[in-house]
Amino acid sequence: MLEIALFSIVVLSAIFIKKESLILLLIFFLPFHSFIKSFFQYFFNGGNIISVWKEVVILILLFKINKNHLFKSERLIKQLIYLFFSIVVLYFITTDNLINAIPTLRDHLFPIFLFMSLLSMQISKEFFTRIILFLAITAFINVLMGFLQSFMFNIEISQLMGSIDFIDDNGYVKYKTSSARILGIERMAGILGGPNVFGVYMSFMIVIISALLLNKEKGFLSKRIIFLLLFLMSICLLFSFSRAGFFIAISGVMLLLYFNKTKNIGKTIIGLSFFSIVLSFIIFTYFPEKVQILELSLSSKEASAADRDDNFMKGITTIIEEPFGHGVGTTDNRNKGYKNFFESAILNITFEIGFLGIAIWICLHLFIVFKIWQKYNNRANIIVKIALAISLPLIVTSFFSINTYGMPIIYFWWICLGLGLSSMKTMTNVSQIKQNATLNNYSNI
């Protein structure tokens, strides 16, 4: 009853609140989706009803924004989206087990539904600052939960999240997946469902919060709060031991530095160096055992890191031999009947929907990024810079990680793309209005 009541409140709220508030609702609760579902599974043996809240909210948002006009976008973007949808649906209805394929189908379609909704909006500066505030609040909560899980309540939180298989008589914890530990050391995972997802989420937020330091639009956040968030999130990223997260954070921040072309580059480098020194001092002094793990992990000498190359090459060989797809959900290793699984979102998608499907997926992403890049200039707003700094590393990382295509990253990724294109459209409209006003003034002289 509690689950039904909560689900009803979410749906009714989505129906009656404004579309801007609905987007903020999504942004706030997406990182807690796994926790909410696990909570109802653990205490009430439920979770199936509340687990579809985001899909219902996205459909309501899509209706609210597009009820008076059709989805409008670049013709090629629209055509690529429709082609991708067609291929996904085709491989869904022809898959061996439709029920097992539904979660993967949702991952393919609903983030793009959200993207389509955002394209039809006008993004004001005030609304963007509210988005940043909500992102910062959720990031801070997840940081706290990461520290609580890692240093105080690991057993309790891991049991609630369903990560533990059993605890033997000697107190040894056996996890359901080997990724929970690395060289016998617990990895920080918070309440996002796993350390790799947690690390990628932290890197995602590090890029977004770093963009505030390099731009005037800091919203409601002071510099002290921004530095504190970056410091805490960097520790969380390091303790997650997520190699994908390391790559996204470093390359994303470097792209932000390039996009901003700041004149105070020396000051920025000094600031980043000081930040790195302080962080390194704390890690080396208080957590020396984690330093060795970081070294082995980054050098691919740790077992799981070394195995990643073999898994990737196995995926390449398999897909070359079987290039036409096997059906949606056939790489979802949460199901017992999955046919194959690779540590690569790109390879898994290719195995499921074939070369043509992944080609359309890549072309769609690259064309969206190209359209944002095409209108980019030194005065481009912060939303555009974030969209580029997030999307480019995520596309590359998707070749070597599955976590870019999972909750909540896949939704935040498409949100950034949608906001990036929408903000450029808004800027173009505002620029055109100013230009017309100037011409009118001259004509009246």
Side-chain angles (χ1 to χ4, degrees):
M1 291 299 295
L2 178 61
E3 184 178 0
I4 295 174
L6 180 59
F7 180 76
S8 300
I9 291 172
V10 171
V11 173
L12 289 174
S13 299
I15 291 172
F16 292 107
I17 63 178
K18 295 180 179 179
K19 56 182 180 292
E20 290 82 5
S21 299
L22 193 52
I23 292 172
L24 295 176
L25 176 75
L26 267 171
I27 287 173
F28 184 85
F29 283 106
L30 277 173
F32 305 112
H33 170 79
S34 296
F35 175 77
I36 295 170
K37 181 181 178 181
S38 298
F39 176 86
F40 281 100
Q41 285 177 335
Y42 185 80
F43 288 106
F44 304 102
N45 197 27
N48 292 328
I49 296 175
I50 198 65
S51 66
V52 298
W53 73 270
K54 63 185 184 301
E55 286 81 13
V56 174
V57 170
I58 289 171
L59 289 176
I60 293 172
L61 176 64
L62 189 65
F63 174 77
K64 278 178 177 283
I65 292 179
N66 292 288
K67 62 181 178 180
N68 296 324
H69 54 275
L70 296 174
F71 164 53
K72 295 181 179 179
S73 180
E74 294 280 344
R75 178 178 295 179
L76 184 55
I77 291 178
K78 188 183 296 187
Q79 291 172 344
L80 288 171
I81 286 176
Y82 292 156
L83 275 174
F84 182 70
F85 280 2
S86 300
I87 292 208
V88 167
V89 171
L90 174 64
Y91 276 96
F92 172 72
I93 62 179
T94 57
T95 196
D96 293 338
N97 192 319
L98 290 176
I99 300 298
N100 289 343
I102 289 176
T104 307
L105 178 71
R106 294 199 307 241
D107 291 342
H108 284 315
L109 301 186
F110 279 88
I112 303 180
F113 287 156
L114 184 55
F115 166 79
M116 292 164 62
S117 298
L118 292 170
L119 276 184
S120 303
M121 291 190 63
Q122 299 289 318
I123 307 300
S124 66
K125 183 178 179 181
E126 292 73 21
F127 181 52
F128 175 70
T129 56
R130 291 170 67 192
I131 290 176
I132 290 295
L133 178 63
F134 274 65
L135 287 171
I137 292 172
T138 55
F140 183 68
I141 294 172
N142 277 285
V143 164
L144 290 180
M145 295 308 298
F147 279 98
L148 288 174
Q149 171 265 320
S150 190
F151 298 108
M152 296 178 68
F153 304 108
N154 178 51
I155 300 297
E156 293 82 357
I157 292 177
S158 296
Q159 284 180 327
L160 176 61
M161 296 301 298
S163 304
I164 294 177
D165 190 9
F166 64 85
I167 303 176
D168 65 20
D169 296 335
N170 297 319
Y172 177 77
V173 179
K174 177 67 170 64
Y175 291 97
K176 292 181 179 178
T177 62
S178 59
S179 63
R181 285 194 183 98
I182 187 167
L183 295 178
I185 301 295
E186 310 282 348
R187 301 173 67 185
M188 188 177 286
I191 56 172
L192 273 107
N196 290 315
V197 177
F198 182 77
V200 171
Y201 170 74
M202 283 298 152
S203 69
F204 192 100
M205 293 308 306
I206 285 171
V207 175
I208 291 177
I209 300 301
S210 295
L212 302 182
L213 279 178
L214 302 172
N215 290 268
K216 296 180 180 179
E217 299 95 332
K218 294 180 176 58
F220 300 99
L221 305 178
S222 66
K223 267 193 174 182
R224 290 183 179 179
I225 293 177
I226 292 173
F227 275 117
L228 177 62
L229 270 175
L230 283 175
F231 185 74
L232 293 175
M233 289 190 297
S234 297
I235 293 177
C236 288
L237 173 58
L238 288 172
F239 288 179
S240 73
F241 303 111
S242 170
R243 292 176 291 273
F246 298 155
F247 174 78
I248 293 168
I250 294 171
S251 57
V253 171
M254 291 179 67
L255 283 170
L256 286 174
L257 290 172
Y258 169 76
F259 294 143
N260 280 277
K261 293 184 173 62
T262 177
K263 295 179 180 179
N264 299 320
I265 188 66
K267 184 178 178 181
T268 303
I269 292 175
I270 292 173
L272 288 173
S273 300
F274 178 76
F275 181 86
S276 302
I277 290 171
V278 172
L279 186 62
S280 300
F281 174 78
I282 292 175
I283 301 298
F284 275 87
T285 303
Y286 295 101
F287 308 99
E289 73 283 357
K290 297 184 184 292
V291 176
Q292 181 183 7
I293 297 174
L294 287 170
E295 292 175 350
L296 292 173
S297 179
L298 293 175
S299 63
S300 295
K301 294 179 181 179
E302 182 268 324
S304 65
D307 182 62
R308 187 67 57 92
D309 293 340
D310 295 336
N311 181 272
F312 183 79
M313 293 310 300
K314 175 188 173 185
I316 293 290
T317 303
T318 302
I319 287 169
I320 290 175
E321 294 174 352
E322 307 168 33
F324 298 110
H326 297 77
V328 170
T330 50
T331 62
D332 190 345
N333 61 353
R334 294 170 295 184
N335 304 319
K336 293 182 179 179
Y338 77 97
K339 294 182 178 179
N340 230 319
F341 174 78
F342 312 109
E343 290 286 347
S344 164
I346 297 291
L347 295 183
N348 284 337
I349 295 171
T350 308
F351 186 86
E352 291 190 359
I353 62 176
F355 271 124
L356 179 59
I358 196 60
I360 295 171
W361 185 91
I362 292 174
C363 287
L364 174 59
H365 276 279
L366 291 180
F367 187 71
I368 292 172
V369 170
F370 171 74
K371 293 306 294 184
I372 298 174
W373 180 277
Q374 193 177 41
K375 297 180 179 180
Y376 165 79
N377 55 63
N378 290 338
R379 292 176 295 176
N381 64 22
I382 185 174
I383 311 176
V384 172
K385 296 172 185 176
I386 289 175
L388 292 172
I390 285 291
S391 297
L392 293 173
L394 282 176
I395 292 172
V396 175
T397 308
S398 294
F399 282 89
F400 309 102
S401 172
I402 61 170
N403 299 291
T404 56
Y405 214 78
M407 274 289 298
I409 302 304
I410 186 62
Y411 286 91
F412 282 132
W413 186 357
W414 281 101
I415 286 173
C416 285
L417 291 173
L419 290 176
L421 277 184
S422 180
S423 68
M424 291 309 301
K425 179 183 64 178
T426 302
M427 290 168 59
T428 302
N429 292 341
V430 171
S431 176
Q432 188 63 46
I433 291 172
K434 289 181 178 180
Q435 185 177 14
N436 292 340
T438 303
L439 291 174
N440 289 335
N441 289 335
Y442 277 117
S443 64
N444 293 330
I445 296 176

